[in-house]
Amino acid sequence: MSEHKITLTVNGREMSGYAEARLTLVDFLRDVLGQTGTHIGCEHGVCGACSIVLDGKPVRSCLMYAVMADGHEMTTVEGLEGPEGELSPLQDAFWENHAMQCGYCTPGMLIATHTLLQDNPDPNEDEIREAIGGNLCRCTGYQQIVEAVQMTAKKLREAS
Amino acid sequence: MKAAPFDYVRVSSIDEACQALADGGEDARIIAGGQTLIPLMAMRLARPTLLIDINEVDDLTGISVNGDNLVIKARTRQADTLASDVVKERLPILADALSHVGHTQTRNRGTVGGSLVNADPSAEIPLIAQTLDATIIAQSTRGERTIAAGDFFESAMATTLAPDECLTAVRFPIWPAANTGFGFHEVSIRDSDFALAAAAAQTTLDSNGNCQRLSVAICGASPAALRLSIVEETLMGSDLNDDAIKTACANIDDLIDPQSDVHADAAYRGRVAKVMARRAISDARDRAKGELV
Ligand SMILES: Cc1cc2nc3c(=O)[nH]c(=O)nc-3n(C[C@@H](O)[C@H](O)[C@H](O)COP(=O)(O)OP(=O)(O)OC[C@H]3O[C@@H](n4cnc5c(N)ncnc54)[C@H](O)[C@@H]3O)c2cc1C
Ligand code: FES
Ligand code: FES
């Protein structure tokens, strides 16, 4: 049973801690580093609540052991806010469109749709649904989430 | 759902991985994308004592064309393979199949080699390896060997890879592009789920529009992806009309062995497998004729 010192760059800040090899990345983020924005749902890869951006790409943080991420860079939902702690345009659109009810899936949904908009500023509905295809929501029926992403895309296009 | 304790080592070369496997004994396992192994460990269906992490081995990633083969190194991510222009151009059947493997987030970690070694009976990448007679390349401290796909997949979640071997690459034959087309069809409960049944086919037509080369395989209805040699032999030389395809695919009951589970019963899986095979072959025919993009 090996124990490891793990150093990650989380939302631009270097953070480190110790963990057994079997600790998943999401548990490490939450329990060791205190970054509790990322949620844990199923713990075996099916719900998407634990989504984070690892080295620029959305992945599930319950399907990595923390030690595997040593030396890597990631963005969690805490990293989406603006410099003054204000909501990002996407977060704001989730709020305006009632794209959440209980909020359990929200960090994962935000990460999935944030990375979608980075790659594709003008996604159609199919592309949005494909991007959240691995994220389960038991409350919203997904429609408002799709609308929030569409509103954000429109606002970002108008602003640029 | 937490994994049982284990030791972890990160290796930086194929040789180091092989040495760690040789030293680690039967309960040492390679971890690649972790998209199957980590859930299995969380559920304690797998309890390796040592994980050998190959994610930082640069020698294990990359896609290249070597003569008539497309070579994909084992740790190449499924997402990178799906996005690859050379795969889209030279091996469109694999690109199509990959779009059905999980979803963006699992493809960003999951690897081509991991899917082959995992050998899930419904998995798409092993299906394409069977369809095209791919060659698997494995290395251990004892040396390198190549294994034909037909000899590699043994049964559900079981391959002939030895416990001390690291899969290093897979070689897919590239068929001459002229008058060649592929088809891929699957039925799953949701887009990102494993197939209930799927089929892949590739054909080359001669100048009269008759079938001069055909490969067909199905998955989800047998312990491992299954080549339908009987169907291939029956259709060879024919014009692949819909009736001929239907008749040929009706004769596979003795070959398949579908299982019932919570998602679908055996009879349904068997029926779907046949329909998928028919559709895959007719799409392959239409693409070979340039009638379908
Ligand atoms: C939500 C979800 C949906 C999915 N949907 C699908 C789907 O539709 N279709 C599908 O096919 N798969 C699907 N998968 C599984 C797929 O994502 C995995 O990527 C794949 O099965 C295993 O690849 P991996 O790289 O993650 O391997 P790992 O999980 O790291 O390893 C799997 C096995 O292979 C061994 N291994 C890995 N690499 C090597 C190597 N180079 N040499 C020797 N042994 C090795 C490991 O020891 C382990 O036994 C899904 C997974 C999830 C979580
Ligand atoms: S907690 Fe990671 S996918 Fe459900
Ligand atoms: S808002 Fe409750 S699960 Fe999505």
Short mmCIF file of all heavy atoms in Angstrom, two decimals, chain B residues 69-112:
data_model
loop_
_atom_site.label_atom_id
_atom_site.label_comp_id
_atom_site.label_asym_id
_atom_site.label_seq_id
_atom_site.Cartn_x
_atom_site.Cartn_y
_atom_site.Cartn_z
N ASN B 69 -0.57 -0.83 -43.57
CA ASN B 69 -1.15 -0.92 -42.24
C ASN B 69 -1.23 0.43 -41.57
O ASN B 69 -0.37 1.29 -41.77
CB ASN B 69 -0.29 -1.83 -41.36
CG ASN B 69 -0.42 -3.27 -41.76
OD1 ASN B 69 -1.48 -3.87 -41.57
ND2 ASN B 69 0.64 -3.82 -42.33
N LEU B 70 -2.27 0.58 -40.75
CA LEU B 70 -2.34 1.74 -39.88
C LEU B 70 -2.00 1.22 -38.48
O LEU B 70 -2.63 0.29 -37.99
CB LEU B 70 -3.75 2.33 -39.91
CG LEU B 70 -3.83 3.65 -39.19
CD1 LEU B 70 -4.14 4.76 -40.20
CD2 LEU B 70 -4.90 3.65 -38.13
N VAL B 71 -0.98 1.83 -37.89
CA VAL B 71 -0.50 1.34 -36.59
C VAL B 71 -0.90 2.33 -35.51
O VAL B 71 -0.59 3.52 -35.60
CB VAL B 71 1.04 1.17 -36.61
CG1 VAL B 71 1.52 0.58 -35.28
CG2 VAL B 71 1.47 0.30 -37.77
N ILE B 72 -1.60 1.83 -34.52
CA ILE B 72 -2.00 2.69 -33.41
C ILE B 72 -1.33 2.14 -32.16
O ILE B 72 -1.52 0.98 -31.79
CB ILE B 72 -3.53 2.70 -33.23
CG1 ILE B 72 -4.22 3.14 -34.52
CG2 ILE B 72 -3.93 3.61 -32.06
CD1 ILE B 72 -5.74 3.14 -34.45
N LYS B 73 -0.54 2.99 -31.51
CA LYS B 73 0.13 2.53 -30.30
C LYS B 73 -0.88 2.42 -29.16
O LYS B 73 -1.90 3.13 -29.14
CB LYS B 73 1.28 3.46 -29.97
CG LYS B 73 2.39 3.36 -31.01
CD LYS B 73 3.65 4.02 -30.54
CE LYS B 73 4.73 3.95 -31.62
NZ LYS B 73 5.83 4.86 -31.29
N ALA B 74 -0.57 1.53 -28.22
CA ALA B 74 -1.57 1.07 -27.26
C ALA B 74 -2.20 2.18 -26.42
O ALA B 74 -3.40 2.17 -26.16
CB ALA B 74 -0.96 0.03 -26.33
N ARG B 75 -1.38 3.15 -25.99
CA ARG B 75 -1.92 4.12 -25.05
C ARG B 75 -2.51 5.34 -25.74
O ARG B 75 -2.88 6.33 -25.09
CB ARG B 75 -0.81 4.52 -24.08
CG ARG B 75 -1.28 4.93 -22.73
CD ARG B 75 -0.58 6.22 -22.31
NE ARG B 75 -1.05 7.33 -23.10
CZ ARG B 75 -0.43 8.47 -23.21
NH1 ARG B 75 0.73 8.67 -22.65
NH2 ARG B 75 -0.95 9.46 -23.93
N THR B 76 -2.63 5.31 -27.04
CA THR B 76 -3.27 6.40 -27.77
C THR B 76 -4.71 6.54 -27.27
O THR B 76 -5.43 5.56 -27.18
CB THR B 76 -3.26 6.10 -29.28
OG1 THR B 76 -1.94 5.73 -29.66
CG2 THR B 76 -3.70 7.32 -30.08
N ARG B 77 -5.08 7.77 -26.92
CA ARG B 77 -6.43 7.98 -26.39
C ARG B 77 -7.47 7.75 -27.49
O ARG B 77 -7.25 8.09 -28.66
CB ARG B 77 -6.59 9.42 -25.89
CG ARG B 77 -5.56 9.87 -24.89
CD ARG B 77 -5.86 9.44 -23.48
NE ARG B 77 -4.77 9.87 -22.61
CZ ARG B 77 -4.34 9.17 -21.56
NH1 ARG B 77 -4.89 8.01 -21.25
NH2 ARG B 77 -3.36 9.63 -20.82
N GLN B 78 -8.62 7.26 -27.07
CA GLN B 78 -9.72 7.05 -28.03
C GLN B 78 -10.12 8.38 -28.66
O GLN B 78 -10.42 8.43 -29.87
CB GLN B 78 -10.90 6.40 -27.31
CG GLN B 78 -10.61 4.97 -26.88
CD GLN B 78 -11.41 4.52 -25.67
OE1 GLN B 78 -12.32 5.21 -25.22
NE2 GLN B 78 -11.08 3.35 -25.15
N ALA B 79 -10.11 9.48 -27.89
CA ALA B 79 -10.50 10.79 -28.44
C ALA B 79 -9.52 11.23 -29.52
O ALA B 79 -9.93 11.77 -30.56
CB ALA B 79 -10.56 11.83 -27.32
N ASP B 80 -8.22 11.01 -29.31
CA ASP B 80 -7.23 11.42 -30.31
C ASP B 80 -7.34 10.57 -31.57
O ASP B 80 -7.10 11.04 -32.68
CB ASP B 80 -5.81 11.32 -29.73
CG ASP B 80 -5.60 12.32 -28.59
OD1 ASP B 80 -6.27 13.37 -28.60
OD2 ASP B 80 -4.79 12.05 -27.69
N THR B 81 -7.70 9.31 -31.39
CA THR B 81 -7.86 8.41 -32.54
C THR B 81 -9.08 8.84 -33.35
O THR B 81 -9.04 8.89 -34.59
CB THR B 81 -8.01 6.95 -32.06
OG1 THR B 81 -6.99 6.70 -31.09
CG2 THR B 81 -7.90 5.97 -33.20
N LEU B 82 -10.15 9.18 -32.64
CA LEU B 82 -11.37 9.62 -33.31
C LEU B 82 -11.13 10.92 -34.08
O LEU B 82 -11.69 11.13 -35.15
CB LEU B 82 -12.49 9.80 -32.27
CG LEU B 82 -13.84 10.33 -32.74
CD1 LEU B 82 -14.44 9.43 -33.80
CD2 LEU B 82 -14.80 10.45 -31.56
N ALA B 83 -10.29 11.80 -33.51
CA ALA B 83 -10.05 13.10 -34.15
C ALA B 83 -9.00 13.03 -35.26
O ALA B 83 -8.80 14.00 -35.99
CB ALA B 83 -9.60 14.11 -33.09
N SER B 84 -8.34 11.91 -35.41
CA SER B 84 -7.21 11.81 -36.33
C SER B 84 -7.66 11.81 -37.80
O SER B 84 -8.49 11.01 -38.21
CB SER B 84 -6.43 10.52 -36.02
OG SER B 84 -5.78 10.04 -37.16
N ASP B 85 -7.06 12.71 -38.60
CA ASP B 85 -7.41 12.77 -40.01
C ASP B 85 -7.00 11.50 -40.74
O ASP B 85 -7.72 11.04 -41.63
CB ASP B 85 -6.74 13.98 -40.68
CG ASP B 85 -7.43 15.27 -40.25
OD1 ASP B 85 -8.63 15.21 -39.88
OD2 ASP B 85 -6.77 16.33 -40.26
N VAL B 86 -5.86 10.95 -40.38
CA VAL B 86 -5.40 9.76 -41.10
C VAL B 86 -6.32 8.57 -40.80
O VAL B 86 -6.60 7.76 -41.69
CB VAL B 86 -3.90 9.46 -40.82
CG1 VAL B 86 -3.61 9.30 -39.37
CG2 VAL B 86 -3.45 8.22 -41.54
N VAL B 87 -6.87 8.51 -39.59
CA VAL B 87 -7.82 7.43 -39.29
C VAL B 87 -9.11 7.64 -40.10
O VAL B 87 -9.64 6.71 -40.70
CB VAL B 87 -8.12 7.36 -37.77
CG1 VAL B 87 -9.24 6.38 -37.47
CG2 VAL B 87 -6.86 6.96 -37.01
N LYS B 88 -9.59 8.89 -40.14
CA LYS B 88 -10.81 9.17 -40.90
C LYS B 88 -10.65 8.80 -42.38
O LYS B 88 -11.56 8.27 -43.00
CB LYS B 88 -11.16 10.66 -40.81
CG LYS B 88 -11.98 10.99 -39.59
CD LYS B 88 -12.49 12.42 -39.66
CE LYS B 88 -12.66 12.97 -38.26
NZ LYS B 88 -11.73 13.99 -37.84
N GLU B 89 -9.46 9.09 -42.91
CA GLU B 89 -9.22 8.85 -44.33
C GLU B 89 -8.94 7.40 -44.64
O GLU B 89 -9.49 6.83 -45.58
CB GLU B 89 -7.98 9.64 -44.76
CG GLU B 89 -8.25 10.73 -45.75
CD GLU B 89 -7.03 11.61 -45.85
OE1 GLU B 89 -5.99 11.12 -46.33
OE2 GLU B 89 -7.10 12.78 -45.38
N ARG B 90 -8.08 6.76 -43.88
CA ARG B 90 -7.61 5.43 -44.23
C ARG B 90 -8.38 4.31 -43.54
O ARG B 90 -8.39 3.19 -44.01
CB ARG B 90 -6.10 5.29 -43.89
CG ARG B 90 -5.23 6.41 -44.43
CD ARG B 90 -5.28 6.55 -45.95
NE ARG B 90 -4.61 5.47 -46.66
CZ ARG B 90 -3.32 5.44 -46.94
NH1 ARG B 90 -2.52 6.42 -46.54
NH2 ARG B 90 -2.81 4.43 -47.61
N LEU B 91 -9.00 4.64 -42.37
CA LEU B 91 -9.69 3.59 -41.62
C LEU B 91 -11.03 4.13 -41.10
O LEU B 91 -11.30 4.12 -39.90
CB LEU B 91 -8.80 3.18 -40.44
CG LEU B 91 -8.83 1.73 -39.97
CD1 LEU B 91 -8.37 0.79 -41.06
CD2 LEU B 91 -7.98 1.57 -38.73
N PRO B 92 -11.87 4.61 -42.05
CA PRO B 92 -13.11 5.27 -41.62
C PRO B 92 -14.01 4.36 -40.79
O PRO B 92 -14.77 4.84 -39.94
CB PRO B 92 -13.79 5.66 -42.94
CG PRO B 92 -13.14 4.84 -44.00
CD PRO B 92 -11.74 4.58 -43.52
N ILE B 93 -13.91 3.06 -40.96
CA ILE B 93 -14.72 2.13 -40.19
C ILE B 93 -14.40 2.25 -38.70
O ILE B 93 -15.28 2.19 -37.84
CB ILE B 93 -14.51 0.68 -40.70
CG1 ILE B 93 -15.48 -0.29 -40.07
CG2 ILE B 93 -13.08 0.20 -40.49
CD1 ILE B 93 -15.44 -1.70 -40.70
N LEU B 94 -13.12 2.49 -38.37
CA LEU B 94 -12.73 2.63 -36.96
C LEU B 94 -13.21 3.98 -36.42
O LEU B 94 -13.70 4.07 -35.29
CB LEU B 94 -11.21 2.50 -36.80
CG LEU B 94 -10.71 2.64 -35.36
CD1 LEU B 94 -11.22 1.50 -34.49
CD2 LEU B 94 -9.18 2.70 -35.31
N ALA B 95 -13.09 5.03 -37.25
CA ALA B 95 -13.54 6.35 -36.79
C ALA B 95 -15.03 6.30 -36.47
O ALA B 95 -15.49 6.80 -35.44
CB ALA B 95 -13.25 7.40 -37.86
N ASP B 96 -15.80 5.65 -37.35
CA ASP B 96 -17.24 5.55 -37.13
C ASP B 96 -17.53 4.78 -35.83
O ASP B 96 -18.31 5.21 -34.98
CB ASP B 96 -17.89 4.86 -38.33
CG ASP B 96 -19.40 5.02 -38.37
OD1 ASP B 96 -20.02 4.87 -37.30
OD2 ASP B 96 -19.96 5.29 -39.44
N ALA B 97 -16.86 3.65 -35.66
CA ALA B 97 -17.08 2.83 -34.47
C ALA B 97 -16.70 3.59 -33.20
O ALA B 97 -17.39 3.52 -32.18
CB ALA B 97 -16.29 1.53 -34.57
N LEU B 98 -15.60 4.35 -33.27
CA LEU B 98 -15.12 5.06 -32.07
C LEU B 98 -16.11 6.11 -31.58
O LEU B 98 -16.16 6.41 -30.39
CB LEU B 98 -13.79 5.75 -32.38
CG LEU B 98 -12.54 4.90 -32.17
CD1 LEU B 98 -11.34 5.59 -32.77
CD2 LEU B 98 -12.31 4.63 -30.69
N SER B 99 -16.89 6.66 -32.50
CA SER B 99 -17.85 7.68 -32.06
C SER B 99 -18.92 7.05 -31.17
O SER B 99 -19.66 7.76 -30.49
CB SER B 99 -18.47 8.39 -33.27
OG SER B 99 -19.32 7.50 -33.96
N HIS B 100 -19.00 5.72 -31.15
CA HIS B 100 -19.97 5.03 -30.29
C HIS B 100 -19.34 4.53 -28.98
O HIS B 100 -20.03 3.94 -28.16
CB HIS B 100 -20.55 3.81 -31.02
CG HIS B 100 -21.35 4.18 -32.24
ND1 HIS B 100 -22.72 4.31 -32.22
CD2 HIS B 100 -20.96 4.45 -33.50
CE1 HIS B 100 -23.13 4.64 -33.43
NE2 HIS B 100 -22.10 4.74 -34.22
N VAL B 101 -18.05 4.73 -28.80
CA VAL B 101 -17.38 4.23 -27.59
C VAL B 101 -17.51 5.27 -26.48
O VAL B 101 -16.87 6.32 -26.52
CB VAL B 101 -15.89 3.94 -27.86
CG1 VAL B 101 -15.19 3.48 -26.58
CG2 VAL B 101 -15.73 2.91 -28.96
N GLY B 102 -18.37 5.01 -25.50
CA GLY B 102 -18.53 5.94 -24.38
C GLY B 102 -18.89 7.33 -24.87
O GLY B 102 -19.61 7.50 -25.85
N HIS B 103 -18.35 8.35 -24.20
CA HIS B 103 -18.59 9.73 -24.62
C HIS B 103 -17.32 10.53 -24.43
O HIS B 103 -16.30 9.98 -23.98
CB HIS B 103 -19.77 10.32 -23.85
CG HIS B 103 -19.74 9.94 -22.42
ND1 HIS B 103 -18.84 10.48 -21.54
CD2 HIS B 103 -20.42 8.99 -21.73
CE1 HIS B 103 -18.99 9.92 -20.37
NE2 HIS B 103 -19.94 8.99 -20.45
N THR B 104 -17.39 11.81 -24.78
CA THR B 104 -16.17 12.64 -24.81
C THR B 104 -15.29 12.42 -23.58
O THR B 104 -14.08 12.26 -23.70
CB THR B 104 -16.58 14.13 -24.86
OG1 THR B 104 -17.53 14.27 -25.90
CG2 THR B 104 -15.39 15.02 -25.13
N GLN B 105 -15.92 12.44 -22.41
CA GLN B 105 -15.08 12.39 -21.20
C GLN B 105 -14.39 11.05 -21.02
O GLN B 105 -13.24 11.00 -20.59
CB GLN B 105 -15.93 12.73 -19.98
CG GLN B 105 -16.46 14.16 -20.07
CD GLN B 105 -17.25 14.55 -18.84
OE1 GLN B 105 -17.11 13.96 -17.78
NE2 GLN B 105 -18.09 15.54 -18.98
N THR B 106 -15.05 9.96 -21.36
CA THR B 106 -14.37 8.66 -21.22
C THR B 106 -13.36 8.48 -22.36
O THR B 106 -12.31 7.89 -22.16
CB THR B 106 -15.34 7.47 -21.19
OG1 THR B 106 -16.05 7.39 -22.43
CG2 THR B 106 -16.35 7.61 -20.06
N ARG B 107 -13.68 9.03 -23.54
CA ARG B 107 -12.73 8.90 -24.66
C ARG B 107 -11.47 9.74 -24.44
O ARG B 107 -10.42 9.44 -24.98
CB ARG B 107 -13.39 9.31 -25.98
CG ARG B 107 -14.45 8.33 -26.46
CD ARG B 107 -14.83 8.59 -27.90
NE ARG B 107 -15.51 9.85 -28.09
CZ ARG B 107 -16.83 10.00 -28.18
NH1 ARG B 107 -17.62 8.94 -28.08
NH2 ARG B 107 -17.37 11.18 -28.37
N ASN B 108 -11.58 10.82 -23.65
CA ASN B 108 -10.40 11.64 -23.38
C ASN B 108 -9.36 10.89 -22.54
O ASN B 108 -8.19 11.27 -22.52
CB ASN B 108 -10.79 12.94 -22.65
CG ASN B 108 -11.29 13.99 -23.63
OD1 ASN B 108 -10.97 13.95 -24.82
ND2 ASN B 108 -12.08 14.93 -23.13
N ARG B 109 -9.78 9.89 -21.80
CA ARG B 109 -8.84 9.07 -21.02
C ARG B 109 -8.67 7.67 -21.62
O ARG B 109 -7.57 7.13 -21.64
CB ARG B 109 -9.31 8.92 -19.56
CG ARG B 109 -9.30 10.18 -18.73
CD ARG B 109 -7.93 10.74 -18.49
NE ARG B 109 -7.05 9.86 -17.73
CZ ARG B 109 -5.75 10.09 -17.57
NH1 ARG B 109 -5.18 11.16 -18.09
NH2 ARG B 109 -5.00 9.25 -16.88
N GLY B 110 -9.77 7.06 -22.01
CA GLY B 110 -9.75 5.67 -22.45
C GLY B 110 -8.82 5.48 -23.65
O GLY B 110 -8.71 6.35 -24.51
N THR B 111 -8.15 4.34 -23.70
CA THR B 111 -7.15 4.09 -24.74
C THR B 111 -7.60 2.97 -25.67
O THR B 111 -8.45 2.16 -25.33
CB THR B 111 -5.80 3.69 -24.10
OG1 THR B 111 -5.95 2.43 -23.45
CG2 THR B 111 -5.32 4.74 -23.09
N VAL B 112 -6.98 2.94 -26.84
CA VAL B 112 -7.28 1.89 -27.81
C VAL B 112 -6.80 0.54 -27.26
O VAL B 112 -7.53 -0.46 -27.28
CB VAL B 112 -6.60 2.21 -29.16
CG1 VAL B 112 -6.69 1.03 -30.12
CG2 VAL B 112 -7.25 3.45 -29.78
#
